[in-house]
Amino acid sequence: MDAGKKEQNSELQLTTLPFNIGVVDSPENKGLPVRWPFTLEFDENSSIIVQKYSAETDKVLEEAYKKGSLLSISLGEGSFGVKKANDALKHILSVCDKSLTETSFLEVGCGKGYLLYRLKQQGAQKVMGCEPGPAAITGSEEFNIEIKNNFFTPNLLSDRFDVVFSYGVLEHVQNPKQFLESQIQVLNEQGKLLVAVPNSQTKLQLGDMNILAHEHWNYFTEQSVKNLLVRCGLSKVDSAIGINGAMIYAWGEKSQTDRTEEEVDDTSEKQLFSTFVAQVKESLALLQEKINDSEKQGKSVGLYGGGLNVFGLLNHSSEPRFFD
């Protein structure tokens, strides 16, 4: 690949990416923007594919969270939510090297605390959660578990834990390394840190732009999340892919005597990003050409099986129809 092409694919700028807040009861966006600028780049410092930081985007997201924006089904809600929770529990329990009755757990960004409730049911020595949203209050009452109704900081807690974990949180954090290092502070020696994040690898490889969302600052592959844990100084770093390939589970151990050397090769991550950018640009150009040709012939445009992001990024004289 020549230098000019590398420069051309150094970032992906999308000026009209739909601002998605999840399923709503009526066709409106709760006073939030329907479309909002979005830029994707490769962060050389973290070796992670990230949404480029924007203070304006941060402000809009803060307002969206206040209004209850939720892009996915909560763990434990409905049969699908229970399946996701079961998968998470399987991987959380796999990192425990003591019996549950001797193991304490902290979940960062726990929502209502369904995973903690399940761990408590199975006999965990101690469970505690941190959740800044209103779910902390309803969850602590429903499940009778302790949840700090606040953003996580080490000085919020006086206890230390054997396992600290988060599910579907790290992709929303602007500085994931700093975020994880703060959690390591409340781990016992030889304690385990586990993160579960959406698996972006296949969709990045396919050039699937529907993966992009303003709420996600980070787009992880199995390699990039493991690289992150290594850079945080954890030892015995390992990972696994969850059911349907949807989530990446990665974990490591806190150890003063067996720290992992920071040896990170991000070549494949850089290439993945560059390829994704090129594919998206090519796809958008081809689709726009087809829309223009169809409209010249007096034809309307329809899309089968989703694709909100795609049509939000294209110009068309009339609203497209969606079929499912």
Side-chain angles (χ1 to χ4, degrees):
M1 185 182 292
D2 59 42
K5 193 167 184 180
K6 282 184 181 178
E7 180 65 28
Q8 184 181 7
N9 292 337
S10 62
E11 64 179 23
L12 177 66
Q13 293 183 333
L14 304 171
T15 57
T16 58
L17 184 71
F19 191 86
N20 188 8
I21 61 171
V23 178
V24 293
D25 294 328
S26 59
E28 52 88 25
N29 230 38
K30 299 185 178 182
L32 297 162
V34 175
R35 294 179 175 84
W36 193 259
F38 181 100
T39 300
L40 195 72
E41 64 179 4
F42 180 78
D43 182 10
E44 297 281 353
N45 294 322
S46 66
S47 301
I48 299 170
I49 297 171
V50 303
Q51 178 187 176
K52 189 174 184 178
Y53 179 72
S54 158
E56 292 79 11
T57 298
D58 200 14
K59 186 176 180 180
V60 172
L61 285 173
E62 184 179 350
E63 186 64 25
Y65 292 136
K66 288 179 182 177
K67 294 186 176 184
S69 176
L70 189 64
L71 295 185
S72 62
I73 296 172
S74 297
L75 294 178
E77 292 190 5
S79 59
F80 184 58
V82 171
K83 285 180 181 178
K84 291 200 302 179
N86 290 341
D87 188 52
L89 284 168
K90 180 181 76 173
H91 289 91
I92 293 167
L93 293 172
S94 73
V95 307
C96 299
D97 51 16
K98 300 185 292 186
S99 69
L100 270 182
T101 56
E102 301 176 297
T103 306
S104 56
F105 296 87
L106 170 70
E107 183 179 5
V108 177
C110 66
K112 290 176 66 176
Y114 180 76
L115 288 176
L116 295 170
Y117 166 67
R118 291 281 300 276
L119 288 166
K120 179 182 176 182
Q121 276 189 318
Q122 295 183 41
Q125 179 194 65
K126 180 180 178 61
V127 299
M128 183 183 292
C130 285
E131 170 57 49
I137 299 170
T138 58
S140 62
E141 293 174 352
E142 180 178 348
F143 297 131
N144 191 28
I145 55 179
E146 184 177 1
I147 301 176
K148 303 288 187 182
N149 190 196
N150 208 333
F151 289 99
F152 171 80
T153 60
N155 58 15
L156 187 66
L157 310 171
S158 57
D159 298 320
R160 294 293 178 265
F161 298 86
D162 299 309
V163 178
V164 175
F165 67 93
S166 62
Y167 184 100
V169 173
L170 201 59
E171 67 272 18
H172 298 270
V173 176
Q174 293 162 23
N175 190 331
K177 183 173 183 288
Q178 183 181 66
F179 185 63
L180 293 184
E181 287 174 338
S182 68
Q183 294 174 39
I184 292 170
Q185 293 180 43
V186 300
L187 272 176
N188 289 322
E189 187 69 7
Q190 271 76 55
K192 305 293 178 59
L193 179 74
L194 180 143
V195 297
V197 295
N199 183 7
S200 299
Q201 183 154 346
T202 299
K203 291 188 176 182
L204 288 168
Q205 289 171 333
L206 294 173
D208 185 353
M209 63 196 84
N210 287 308
I211 194 177
L212 303 176
H214 293 89
E215 287 195 7
H216 290 178
W217 293 103
N218 309 295
Y219 294 82
F220 290 106
T221 66
E222 191 171 8
Q223 187 59 53
S224 67
V225 72
K226 287 170 69 175
N227 287 347
L228 176 60
L229 297 188
V230 169
R231 284 182 158 146
C232 289
L234 295 172
S235 64
K236 301 177 183 178
V237 171
D238 206 348
S239 63
I241 302 297
I243 56 172
N244 302 322
M247 299 295 287
I248 301 167
Y249 296 90
W251 58 90
E253 180 178 295
K254 177 181 179 179
S255 174
Q256 296 300 323
T257 58
D258 186 25
R259 292 174 65 88
T260 303
E261 293 295 324
E262 187 174 316
E263 295 180 3
V264 173
D265 182 2
D266 60 14
T267 306
S268 62
E269 298 299 310
K270 287 181 180 180
Q271 183 58 50
L272 177 62
F273 171 73
S274 181
T275 301
F276 176 75
V277 173
Q279 287 178 310
V280 169
K281 289 179 177 178
E282 182 179 356
S283 296
L284 288 174
L286 178 63
L287 288 168
Q288 188 64 64
E289 182 181 350
K290 288 185 177 296
I291 289 173
N292 294 343
D293 289 344
S294 295
E295 291 185 344
K296 285 178 183 178
Q297 298 174 46
K299 297 179 179 179
S300 59
V301 176
L303 186 69
Y304 177 77
L308 176 64
N309 276 4
V310 175
F311 274 92
L313 295 168
L314 298 169
N315 298 315
H316 32 79
S317 58
S318 60
E319 288 299 317
R321 292 176 295 165
F322 290 86
F323 303 90
D324 197 338

PDB file of all heavy atoms in Angstrom, residues 61 65 71-72 167-175 198 214-218 220:
ATOM      1  N   LEU A  61     -24.102  12.729  24.233  1.00  0.00           N
ATOM      2  CA  LEU A  61     -24.218  11.397  24.821  1.00  0.00           C
ATOM      3  C   LEU A  61     -24.655  11.469  26.284  1.00  0.00           C
ATOM      4  O   LEU A  61     -25.460  10.658  26.747  1.00  0.00           O
ATOM      5  CB  LEU A  61     -22.878  10.657  24.724  1.00  0.00           C
ATOM      6  CG  LEU A  61     -22.507  10.124  23.341  1.00  0.00           C
ATOM      7  CD1 LEU A  61     -21.093   9.565  23.361  1.00  0.00           C
ATOM      8  CD2 LEU A  61     -23.487   9.051  22.892  1.00  0.00           C
ATOM      9  N   TYR A  65     -27.880   9.502  27.755  1.00  0.00           N
ATOM     10  CA  TYR A  65     -27.894   8.563  28.883  1.00  0.00           C
ATOM     11  C   TYR A  65     -28.916   8.993  29.933  1.00  0.00           C
ATOM     12  O   TYR A  65     -29.594   8.160  30.542  1.00  0.00           O
ATOM     13  CB  TYR A  65     -26.505   8.471  29.514  1.00  0.00           C
ATOM     14  CG  TYR A  65     -25.476   7.814  28.622  1.00  0.00           C
ATOM     15  CD1 TYR A  65     -24.195   8.346  28.495  1.00  0.00           C
ATOM     16  CD2 TYR A  65     -25.779   6.661  27.911  1.00  0.00           C
ATOM     17  CE1 TYR A  65     -23.251   7.742  27.675  1.00  0.00           C
ATOM     18  CE2 TYR A  65     -24.837   6.052  27.090  1.00  0.00           C
ATOM     19  CZ  TYR A  65     -23.570   6.600  26.974  1.00  0.00           C
ATOM     20  OH  TYR A  65     -22.649   6.013  26.170  1.00  0.00           O
ATOM     21  N   LEU A  71     -28.918   0.698  23.888  1.00  0.00           N
ATOM     22  CA  LEU A  71     -28.769   0.108  22.567  1.00  0.00           C
ATOM     23  C   LEU A  71     -29.009  -1.394  22.548  1.00  0.00           C
ATOM     24  O   LEU A  71     -29.197  -1.974  21.485  1.00  0.00           O
ATOM     25  CB  LEU A  71     -27.362   0.400  22.015  1.00  0.00           C
ATOM     26  CG  LEU A  71     -27.026   1.871  21.746  1.00  0.00           C
ATOM     27  CD1 LEU A  71     -25.660   1.980  21.093  1.00  0.00           C
ATOM     28  CD2 LEU A  71     -28.083   2.525  20.874  1.00  0.00           C
ATOM     29  N   SER A  72     -28.958  -2.051  23.692  1.00  0.00           N
ATOM     30  CA  SER A  72     -29.128  -3.495  23.701  1.00  0.00           C
ATOM     31  C   SER A  72     -29.990  -3.934  24.877  1.00  0.00           C
ATOM     32  O   SER A  72     -30.238  -3.164  25.807  1.00  0.00           O
ATOM     33  CB  SER A  72     -27.763  -4.203  23.773  1.00  0.00           C
ATOM     34  OG  SER A  72     -27.095  -3.854  24.968  1.00  0.00           O
ATOM     35  N   TYR A 167     -19.339  -5.768  32.111  1.00  0.00           N
ATOM     36  CA  TYR A 167     -19.960  -6.356  30.920  1.00  0.00           C
ATOM     37  C   TYR A 167     -20.558  -5.229  30.083  1.00  0.00           C
ATOM     38  O   TYR A 167     -21.443  -4.508  30.540  1.00  0.00           O
ATOM     39  CB  TYR A 167     -21.051  -7.352  31.325  1.00  0.00           C
ATOM     40  CG  TYR A 167     -21.686  -8.088  30.158  1.00  0.00           C
ATOM     41  CD1 TYR A 167     -21.299  -9.383  29.838  1.00  0.00           C
ATOM     42  CD2 TYR A 167     -22.669  -7.489  29.375  1.00  0.00           C
ATOM     43  CE1 TYR A 167     -21.876 -10.065  28.770  1.00  0.00           C
ATOM     44  CE2 TYR A 167     -23.243  -8.152  28.297  1.00  0.00           C
ATOM     45  CZ  TYR A 167     -22.841  -9.442  27.998  1.00  0.00           C
ATOM     46  OH  TYR A 167     -23.403 -10.098  26.942  1.00  0.00           O
ATOM     47  N   GLY A 168     -20.056  -5.082  28.857  1.00  0.00           N
ATOM     48  CA  GLY A 168     -20.609  -4.065  27.965  1.00  0.00           C
ATOM     49  C   GLY A 168     -20.414  -2.655  28.461  1.00  0.00           C
ATOM     50  O   GLY A 168     -21.280  -1.797  28.264  1.00  0.00           O
ATOM     51  N   VAL A 169     -19.286  -2.399  29.100  1.00  0.00           N
ATOM     52  CA  VAL A 169     -18.999  -1.070  29.653  1.00  0.00           C
ATOM     53  C   VAL A 169     -17.794  -0.424  28.967  1.00  0.00           C
ATOM     54  O   VAL A 169     -17.815   0.758  28.611  1.00  0.00           O
ATOM     55  CB  VAL A 169     -18.737  -1.166  31.181  1.00  0.00           C
ATOM     56  CG1 VAL A 169     -18.276   0.186  31.737  1.00  0.00           C
ATOM     57  CG2 VAL A 169     -19.984  -1.631  31.914  1.00  0.00           C
ATOM     58  N   LEU A 170     -16.746  -1.207  28.753  1.00  0.00           N
ATOM     59  CA  LEU A 170     -15.461  -0.651  28.313  1.00  0.00           C
ATOM     60  C   LEU A 170     -15.543   0.043  26.959  1.00  0.00           C
ATOM     61  O   LEU A 170     -14.798   0.996  26.699  1.00  0.00           O
ATOM     62  CB  LEU A 170     -14.414  -1.768  28.271  1.00  0.00           C
ATOM     63  CG  LEU A 170     -12.944  -1.345  28.315  1.00  0.00           C
ATOM     64  CD1 LEU A 170     -12.636  -0.558  29.582  1.00  0.00           C
ATOM     65  CD2 LEU A 170     -12.029  -2.562  28.206  1.00  0.00           C
ATOM     66  N   GLU A 171     -16.437  -0.407  26.092  1.00  0.00           N
ATOM     67  CA  GLU A 171     -16.568   0.228  24.774  1.00  0.00           C
ATOM     68  C   GLU A 171     -17.123   1.645  24.878  1.00  0.00           C
ATOM     69  O   GLU A 171     -16.987   2.447  23.956  1.00  0.00           O
ATOM     70  CB  GLU A 171     -17.437  -0.621  23.845  1.00  0.00           C
ATOM     71  CG  GLU A 171     -18.892  -0.732  24.238  1.00  0.00           C
ATOM     72  CD  GLU A 171     -19.172  -1.879  25.207  1.00  0.00           C
ATOM     73  OE1 GLU A 171     -18.214  -2.386  25.849  1.00  0.00           O
ATOM     74  OE2 GLU A 171     -20.346  -2.264  25.329  1.00  0.00           O
ATOM     75  N   HIS A 172     -17.745   1.981  26.027  1.00  0.00           N
ATOM     76  CA  HIS A 172     -18.334   3.310  26.226  1.00  0.00           C
ATOM     77  C   HIS A 172     -17.368   4.293  26.893  1.00  0.00           C
ATOM     78  O   HIS A 172     -17.732   5.448  27.107  1.00  0.00           O
ATOM     79  CB  HIS A 172     -19.578   3.198  27.107  1.00  0.00           C
ATOM     80  CG  HIS A 172     -20.678   2.372  26.528  1.00  0.00           C
ATOM     81  ND1 HIS A 172     -21.673   2.884  25.725  1.00  0.00           N
ATOM     82  CD2 HIS A 172     -20.933   1.035  26.620  1.00  0.00           C
ATOM     83  CE1 HIS A 172     -22.497   1.913  25.365  1.00  0.00           C
ATOM     84  NE2 HIS A 172     -22.064   0.774  25.891  1.00  0.00           N
ATOM     85  N   VAL A 173     -16.155   3.837  27.220  1.00  0.00           N
ATOM     86  CA  VAL A 173     -15.220   4.623  28.026  1.00  0.00           C
ATOM     87  C   VAL A 173     -14.152   5.258  27.133  1.00  0.00           C
ATOM     88  O   VAL A 173     -13.538   4.584  26.306  1.00  0.00           O
ATOM     89  CB  VAL A 173     -14.549   3.734  29.096  1.00  0.00           C
ATOM     90  CG1 VAL A 173     -13.504   4.509  29.877  1.00  0.00           C
ATOM     91  CG2 VAL A 173     -15.607   3.159  30.028  1.00  0.00           C
ATOM     92  N   GLN A 174     -13.909   6.556  27.332  1.00  0.00           N
ATOM     93  CA  GLN A 174     -12.968   7.270  26.464  1.00  0.00           C
ATOM     94  C   GLN A 174     -11.511   6.899  26.728  1.00  0.00           C
ATOM     95  O   GLN A 174     -10.696   6.891  25.804  1.00  0.00           O
ATOM     96  CB  GLN A 174     -13.148   8.783  26.637  1.00  0.00           C
ATOM     97  CG  GLN A 174     -14.479   9.298  26.121  1.00  0.00           C
ATOM     98  CD  GLN A 174     -14.815  10.649  26.688  1.00  0.00           C
ATOM     99  OE1 GLN A 174     -13.944  11.397  27.105  1.00  0.00           O
ATOM    100  NE2 GLN A 174     -16.090  10.974  26.718  1.00  0.00           N
ATOM    101  N   ASN A 175     -11.163   6.610  27.952  1.00  0.00           N
ATOM    102  CA  ASN A 175      -9.790   6.225  28.290  1.00  0.00           C
ATOM    103  C   ASN A 175      -9.820   4.861  28.962  1.00  0.00           C
ATOM    104  O   ASN A 175      -9.780   4.758  30.190  1.00  0.00           O
ATOM    105  CB  ASN A 175      -9.145   7.270  29.212  1.00  0.00           C
ATOM    106  CG  ASN A 175      -7.649   7.043  29.380  1.00  0.00           C
ATOM    107  OD1 ASN A 175      -7.166   5.904  29.293  1.00  0.00           O
ATOM    108  ND2 ASN A 175      -6.905   8.102  29.612  1.00  0.00           N
ATOM    109  N   PRO A 198     -18.214  -6.008  23.192  1.00  0.00           N
ATOM    110  CA  PRO A 198     -18.702  -6.490  21.898  1.00  0.00           C
ATOM    111  C   PRO A 198     -17.543  -6.864  20.976  1.00  0.00           C
ATOM    112  O   PRO A 198     -16.532  -6.158  20.920  1.00  0.00           O
ATOM    113  CB  PRO A 198     -19.472  -5.280  21.345  1.00  0.00           C
ATOM    114  CG  PRO A 198     -19.860  -4.497  22.542  1.00  0.00           C
ATOM    115  CD  PRO A 198     -18.736  -4.669  23.519  1.00  0.00           C
ATOM    116  N   HIS A 214     -22.492   6.174  18.031  1.00  0.00           N
ATOM    117  CA  HIS A 214     -21.877   7.265  18.793  1.00  0.00           C
ATOM    118  C   HIS A 214     -21.582   6.876  20.236  1.00  0.00           C
ATOM    119  O   HIS A 214     -20.647   7.387  20.847  1.00  0.00           O
ATOM    120  CB  HIS A 214     -22.781   8.498  18.757  1.00  0.00           C
ATOM    121  CG  HIS A 214     -22.913   9.116  17.404  1.00  0.00           C
ATOM    122  ND1 HIS A 214     -23.890   8.725  16.516  1.00  0.00           N
ATOM    123  CD2 HIS A 214     -22.180  10.066  16.776  1.00  0.00           C
ATOM    124  CE1 HIS A 214     -23.770   9.433  15.395  1.00  0.00           C
ATOM    125  NE2 HIS A 214     -22.743  10.252  15.531  1.00  0.00           N
ATOM    126  N   GLU A 215     -22.378   5.971  20.811  1.00  0.00           N
ATOM    127  CA  GLU A 215     -22.172   5.576  22.202  1.00  0.00           C
ATOM    128  C   GLU A 215     -20.891   4.769  22.395  1.00  0.00           C
ATOM    129  O   GLU A 215     -20.404   4.648  23.512  1.00  0.00           O
ATOM    130  CB  GLU A 215     -23.366   4.774  22.706  1.00  0.00           C
ATOM    131  CG  GLU A 215     -24.604   5.622  22.953  1.00  0.00           C
ATOM    132  CD  GLU A 215     -25.650   4.901  23.789  1.00  0.00           C
ATOM    133  OE1 GLU A 215     -25.352   3.803  24.291  1.00  0.00           O
ATOM    134  OE2 GLU A 215     -26.765   5.442  23.928  1.00  0.00           O
ATOM    135  N   HIS A 216     -20.357   4.200  21.333  1.00  0.00           N
ATOM    136  CA  HIS A 216     -19.160   3.369  21.443  1.00  0.00           C
ATOM    137  C   HIS A 216     -17.914   4.172  21.057  1.00  0.00           C
ATOM    138  O   HIS A 216     -17.728   4.541  19.901  1.00  0.00           O
ATOM    139  CB  HIS A 216     -19.275   2.133  20.552  1.00  0.00           C
ATOM    140  CG  HIS A 216     -20.287   1.145  21.038  1.00  0.00           C
ATOM    141  ND1 HIS A 216     -20.583  -0.023  20.373  1.00  0.00           N
ATOM    142  CD2 HIS A 216     -21.094   1.144  22.144  1.00  0.00           C
ATOM    143  CE1 HIS A 216     -21.510  -0.695  21.041  1.00  0.00           C
ATOM    144  NE2 HIS A 216     -21.836   0.004  22.108  1.00  0.00           N
ATOM    145  N   TRP A 217     -17.059   4.392  22.040  1.00  0.00           N
ATOM    146  CA  TRP A 217     -15.793   5.088  21.789  1.00  0.00           C
ATOM    147  C   TRP A 217     -14.719   4.110  21.303  1.00  0.00           C
ATOM    148  O   TRP A 217     -13.759   4.529  20.659  1.00  0.00           O
ATOM    149  CB  TRP A 217     -15.305   5.793  23.056  1.00  0.00           C
ATOM    150  CG  TRP A 217     -16.159   6.937  23.498  1.00  0.00           C
ATOM    151  CD1 TRP A 217     -17.060   6.947  24.515  1.00  0.00           C
ATOM    152  CD2 TRP A 217     -16.220   8.255  22.925  1.00  0.00           C
ATOM    153  NE1 TRP A 217     -17.673   8.177  24.612  1.00  0.00           N
ATOM    154  CE2 TRP A 217     -17.170   9.008  23.652  1.00  0.00           C
ATOM    155  CE3 TRP A 217     -15.555   8.870  21.859  1.00  0.00           C
ATOM    156  CZ2 TRP A 217     -17.476  10.326  23.361  1.00  0.00           C
ATOM    157  CZ3 TRP A 217     -15.860  10.194  21.565  1.00  0.00           C
ATOM    158  CH2 TRP A 217     -16.806  10.910  22.310  1.00  0.00           C
ATOM    159  N   ASN A 218     -14.869   2.823  21.634  1.00  0.00           N
ATOM    160  CA  ASN A 218     -13.852   1.825  21.301  1.00  0.00           C
ATOM    161  C   ASN A 218     -14.467   0.647  20.552  1.00  0.00           C
ATOM    162  O   ASN A 218     -15.586   0.228  20.867  1.00  0.00           O
ATOM    163  CB  ASN A 218     -13.192   1.287  22.583  1.00  0.00           C
ATOM    164  CG  ASN A 218     -12.701   2.400  23.484  1.00  0.00           C
ATOM    165  OD1 ASN A 218     -11.800   3.143  23.121  1.00  0.00           O
ATOM    166  ND2 ASN A 218     -13.295   2.527  24.661  1.00  0.00           N
ATOM    167  N   PHE A 220     -13.379  -3.113  19.737  1.00  0.00           N
ATOM    168  CA  PHE A 220     -12.371  -4.087  20.135  1.00  0.00           C
ATOM    169  C   PHE A 220     -12.369  -5.339  19.263  1.00  0.00           C
ATOM    170  O   PHE A 220     -13.422  -5.819  18.820  1.00  0.00           O
ATOM    171  CB  PHE A 220     -12.607  -4.530  21.586  1.00  0.00           C
ATOM    172  CG  PHE A 220     -12.320  -3.475  22.609  1.00  0.00           C
ATOM    173  CD1 PHE A 220     -13.350  -2.822  23.262  1.00  0.00           C
ATOM    174  CD2 PHE A 220     -11.007  -3.137  22.925  1.00  0.00           C
ATOM    175  CE1 PHE A 220     -13.082  -1.850  24.222  1.00  0.00           C
ATOM    176  CE2 PHE A 220     -10.733  -2.168  23.872  1.00  0.00           C
ATOM    177  CZ  PHE A 220     -11.774  -1.523  24.522  1.00  0.00           C
TER     178      PHE A 220
END
